[in-house]
Amino acid sequence: MKKVLLTGISGYIGQHCAVALLKQGYAVKGSLRSLKKAAAITAIIEKEVDPKGKLSFCALDLLSDTGWDEAAEDCDFLMHVASPFFSKIPKDENELIKPAVEGTQRALKAAHKAGIKRVVLTSSMVAMLGSVSGDEHIDQQSWTDVTAKHATAYLKSKTLAEKSAWEFANTHGMELVTIHPGPVYGPSLSDNLSGESMTLFKRILTGQLKQMIHASINMSDVRDVAKIHVLALENESAKGQRLVVATDRAHSYQEVIQLLKSEGYQRVSTSMAPTFMVKLLANFNSEMKGMLPYVGKKYEADISTTKTLFDWEPIPFKTMILDTAASVSTILAKRD
């Protein structure tokens, strides 16, 4: 039985990865910042799959050396999903960059010391945005220019963390696969709506979000993201690949709200924010400033390599959006 060290198991993507791994017969050792969360995460996972004694936990922190070697020593693979995220621009960009880069280095060093041959790393399409000027065609060779005008701390953190992973893997002869989703949606396995994806849909469905920004990008279903993470563990052809896992084409956020409105979500506002106004407000609002890499822009990604390697077709955009809305609506109904 092969065991996977899965960092960030408590997160939106991490929970789906844990379920997908267990369904495929892998044992999972999930990392948490505090083991106090272990019982709650176990209960969430058990709703989807019987772990059959193959689920365990360890305490790890991206900014601490403690426990990494011990966590990796009995594992066959590393799936490094954990990464910091802030929707607002932090006052000090190193609040994001430091844990992302240092955490990645700690994870890979521990994996190398333990003799782990392959690492699957969760990167992002935001590490592939080129000059961050929009109308970019994204493929496996694309990298975000971290010196670009609108390169935010989050974009820099994902790009620099991934570059550090490739440098380490190439230096030490490790097999590395990086997974690059766009904005990730799809059903939540927990009742937690605090993550970026769930918060956005909560605001849309309750009418709290009065205006949507003009922006287009390939979007990703969390179930596809988890599936490709798992398939990449042992697919020989995946070695050394940067794999985009997203819809076939870019979709706009205007499409999202119009679809929801047409499907009976009456509180959804279909008003669009003028791009010039968002850019103006970004001078005073850190959350608006975080939107500048996307507002008024389109990013189109090539997913052909991922489709070919795994004989995979992405979950349709309409299914992804409506399943997300249904999931969030169910959670909100429980709270009423």
Side-chain angles (χ1 to χ4, degrees):
M1 180 175 59
K2 296 177 180 178
K3 182 183 289 187
V4 180
L5 173 58
L6 170 61
T7 67
I9 192 173
S10 64
Y12 178 46
I13 295 175
Q15 289 173 17
H16 277 272
C17 284
V19 169
L21 285 165
L22 289 164
K23 285 183 176 179
Q24 291 301 312
Y26 291 96
V28 176
K29 182 190 288 189
S31 80
L32 299 164
R33 276 182 293 179
S34 170
L35 291 177
K36 292 179 181 178
K37 292 183 178 180
I41 299 303
T42 299
I44 290 167
I45 292 170
E46 285 179 340
K47 290 180 182 179
E48 306 297 322
V49 60
D50 181 359
K52 298 179 180 178
K54 298 178 182 178
L55 177 64
S56 60
F57 298 92
C58 58
L60 295 174
D61 190 310
L62 296 175
L63 287 172
S64 171
D65 290 331
T66 304
W68 283 95
D69 289 348
E70 294 80 5
E73 64 185 5
D74 62 340
C75 294
D76 301 284
F77 300 99
L78 166 65
M79 192 176 285
H80 186 47
V81 179
S83 184
F85 181 84
F86 295 88
S87 60
K88 297 180 180 180
I89 302 294
K91 291 181 179 179
D92 180 359
E93 64 181 14
N94 286 310
E95 290 180 33
L96 267 173
I97 295 171
K98 186 177 179 181
V101 175
E102 291 188 6
T104 297
Q105 287 293 299
R106 286 186 171 92
L108 267 67
K109 286 177 182 176
H112 177 62
K113 187 174 181 180
I116 289 175
K117 187 178 179 183
R118 181 171 293 191
V119 175
V120 176
L121 170 74
T122 311
S123 187
S124 172
M125 275 175 59
V126 304
M128 296 174 147
L129 299 187
S131 60
V132 199
S133 58
D135 295 326
E136 297 274 358
H137 181 75
I138 296 167
D139 59 27
Q140 287 189 293
Q141 283 70 50
S142 302
W143 283 97
T144 293
D145 178 3
V146 295
T147 67
K149 180 180 179 181
H150 295 310
T152 63
Y154 179 63
L155 271 63
K156 291 178 184 179
S157 73
K158 297 301 289 187
T159 305
L160 294 173
E162 188 195 342
K163 284 191 171 182
S164 76
W166 283 113
E167 182 178 348
F168 185 95
N170 291 334
T171 299
H172 296 88
M174 293 184 71
E175 294 181 3
L176 178 63
V177 186
T178 56
I179 309 297
H180 297 256
V184 181
Y185 304 113
S188 174
L189 298 183
S190 72
D191 289 341
N192 184 356
L193 294 178
S194 64
E196 189 72 8
S197 300
M198 296 297 104
T199 296
L200 174 63
F201 267 75
K202 175 186 174 183
R203 293 179 66 203
I204 291 172
L205 295 175
T206 58
Q208 292 176 330
L209 187 65
K210 303 301 182 183
Q211 292 186 312
M212 180 61 80
I213 64 169
H214 289 278
S216 297
I217 193 169
N218 301 64
M219 301 181 187
S220 306
D221 191 299
V222 68
R223 294 164 291 189
D224 281 333
V225 176
K227 179 178 182 177
I228 300 302
H229 271 77
V230 176
L231 293 176
L233 287 174
E234 297 192 73
N235 183 305
E236 186 60 29
S237 299
K239 179 174 60 177
Q241 301 278 6
R242 302 176 74 218
L243 301 170
V244 180
V245 182
T247 48
D248 274 299
R249 66 169 180 87
H251 288 273
S252 69
Y253 281 94
Q254 189 169 17
E255 288 179 75
V256 173
I257 55 177
Q258 288 177 342
L259 171 60
L260 292 171
K261 193 75 169 183
S262 71
E263 291 291 326
Y265 291 95
Q266 294 303 316
R267 298 173 74 180
V268 173
S269 169
T270 55
S271 177
M272 300 298 293
T275 295
F276 80 89
M277 185 62 70
V278 177
K279 290 181 177 179
L280 178 64
L281 291 173
N283 293 313
F284 314 100
N285 183 294
S286 63
E287 188 169 355
M288 289 291 187
K289 189 174 181 180
M291 296 178 184
L292 287 179
Y294 318 104
V295 67
K297 299 172 183 176
K298 180 179 181 179
Y299 297 99
E300 189 85 46
D302 179 3
I303 67 168
S304 60
T305 299
T306 313
K307 291 175 70 173
T308 300
L309 276 181
F310 303 106
D311 191 22
W312 163 76
E313 287 292 332
I315 291 170
F317 169 76
K318 182 177 181 179
T319 302
M320 173 180 65
I321 297 303
L322 295 182
D323 285 358
T324 310
S327 177
V328 173
S329 296
T330 298
I331 294 167
L332 290 173
K334 290 179 183 178
R335 298 178 179 183
D336 290 341

